[in-house]
Amino acid sequence: MIKNLDRTEIGLLIALPILIIIAFILPKWLVNYVHVSMGTGLVALGVMIQMRAGLVSFGQGLYFCVGGYAAGMMAKFYGITDFFVLLAVGILAALVLSALLGFLLRRYREIFFAMLSLALSMILFGMLSSVEELGSTDGFNLPTASYLGWSPTGETAQLTLYTLTCIIAIGCAIALNRFLKSPIGYINEAIRENELRVEYLGTSAHKAVHITYVLAAVVSAIGGVLWALPLGHVDPEMTNWTTSGQFVFVSILSGTGNIIAPMIGTFLLEIVRVYAVEISPNTWQMILGTVMLLTIIFLPKGLWSLITRKKKATRDDGASAPIAGE
Amino acid sequence: MTTILETKNLEMKFGAVYAAKDINISIQAGEVLGVIGSNGAGKTTFVNMVTGYLKPTSGDIIYRGKSIAGRPTREVTKLGICRSFQIPQLFPELPVIENMLIALTIAKQDRPVLFQPAIDGALEDEAHALLARFNIDGYADQEIQTLPQGVRKLVDIAMATVTEPDLLFLDEPTSGVSADEKMDFMRVLIDALQTTRTAVLFIEHDMEIVEAFSPRCVAFYEGTILADGPTAEVLENAKVREFVIGSEYHRSSSDSTQQAGAT
């Protein structure tokens, strides 16, 4: 079994107990950021796997919101609080919606894909903002989750939710890492580079894009549920373009080199934002913007390229050493 | 010999312009066929129609007894008709080996596979073996965008052969290859392809290469077929000499070597 895991997956499995232990060691505010970034980090992963195919989704908040709202509405209207049911409902809602919208979106690339995904997410934003039963722009609250009949409260509830979030987030990351290395993952890279050739090699680019789109939607919806439950609240901001923009921001900041990158990137962004707001409460966006610009200029392939570049350098040194000795 | 491909009155019209008209060609299993014609004569349009990139306005394409006209490119590829491109269509930011691995992965999958690794040792060996067949294994780890045009051409062709097609179209395989290297380049190519009994149709502007490698030749002119037959006869045809080859072409051996040096 261990043999089948690659280094990223081993790293993720090692990270899992560490993440859980963190909850007992680090100050509570920081753990909260870790918790919330795992939810949003999953959405960033959804953006990232689409970026591998050259598709920039400027509306990934759509599924983030669909997941959160589907779970929330289940609790609000049917009184269901079971974590696993809420998660399943979130996934199902995203699955159905993305499978349908996929037929439209898979035909578009580049700016057209970006704008169309943005438009779709803003339609949901407009709709939710005007539905009074769902609290309009204020959204509504979610209850504390129960787990197969067990309803913990207070500290225990938080820890349980945190632990489950860690397990699910790591599980999703491993699954997506497998996806990137699967035939469809490779086909996506090929689509980014040259779609004409993909068709001439004998496979449908549309189908691959559709599958990727649905998968990204499902992961984003999981992120939405996992984000909404600890906060206990959902509102239409989840599908506003500023939220979607952040996910794109994270993917660019961290790069598409490795599945771990967007997870770490999300957390870094949260922390940078915390301090940016502290340093200059009114112009904190400028600090984020500067970070973004510097990243694009100096690390066009994202922060992850720092790690791969270092690895390459040491490998090259190793290779050239015997020649230098001759 | 069995006929694997037959086109019947194939026609392609763009507005009022005929890019191809009354194209009747049949190709036998395992044969090598050269196609000549000036720019805009309809050679590439013909390839585009047969491989499904363009849908012919009328006429039919029969492959192994079945009509394939209007079928999408990916289905035509799966049936065993592949092509290479005049301008290599590759994945420029990926290394040669990954280009091959992607091609092999696609060739081997029948339905979408999501969570299983695409690449294993066996597939990599296969990719290296294919590259070795075209003498380009040494470039395996280089990115496409760093390679000279001739190597890109071979990668493009190698990628077209991963499914071991029954019929392969080569769209100007030697364009972008220097005049001195053309003959050797074609030799490597044709030898590699002959090992799998693939029928090859290649488009070529260099008459010496057509003479050397294809026993049969088809000449296109303004969307129609001007001549089709044994290469020596086609190249002697008065119309072909007037419209396709031009008067500067002389078939005396001393002149032709001179010309090869000059171009």
Side-chain angles (χ1 to χ4, degrees), chain A residues 175-176 178-187 189-205 207 211 215 301 312, chain B residues 48 51 53 73-74 77-78 83 85 89-94 98 102-103 105-107 109 112-119 156 159-160 162:
Chain A
L176 288 184
R178 295 251 155 132
F179 171 74
L180 292 183
K181 295 205 154 52
S182 75
I184 295 275
Y186 274 94
I187 290 168
E189 288 200 45
I191 290 171
R192 183 191 67 216
E193 296 273 312
N194 190 340
E195 188 162 339
L196 173 70
R197 188 61 193 239
V198 172
E199 291 280 330
Y200 263 109
L201 286 172
T203 192
S204 164
K207 203 187 266 175
I211 290 170
L215 193 64
K301 288 193 169 175
K312 232 178 215 167
Chain B
N48 281 341
T51 55
Y53 185 69
T73 304
R74 52 178 181 277
T77 300
K78 289 273 183 210
R83 74 172 289 189
F85 297 82
Q89 296 294 324
L90 303 165
F91 310 125
E93 286 180 28
L94 301 175
E98 286 208 16
I102 288 171
T105 303
I106 294 176
Q109 75 157 16
V113 180
L114 279 175
F115 297 110
Q116 278 163 24
I119 287 158
D156 189 70
M159 277 170 82
V162 293

Side-chain angles (χ1 to χ4, degrees), chain A residues 2-15:
Chain A
I2 295 288
K3 266 186 194 163
N4 291 331
L5 298 170
D6 69 9
R7 285 172 52 187
T8 307
E9 287 164 2
I10 292 170
L12 282 166
L13 285 178
I14 294 170

Side-chain angles (χ1 to χ4, degrees), chain A residues 154-190:
Chain A
E155 191 88 333
T156 334
Q158 275 182 10
L159 275 176
T160 317
L161 188 58
Y162 178 79
T163 311
L164 271 173
T165 304
C166 290
I167 294 170
I168 293 169
I170 296 283
C172 285
I174 290 177
L176 288 184
N177 188 53
R178 295 251 155 132
F179 171 74
L180 292 183
K181 295 205 154 52
S182 75
I184 295 275
Y186 274 94
I187 290 168
N188 278 344
E189 288 200 45

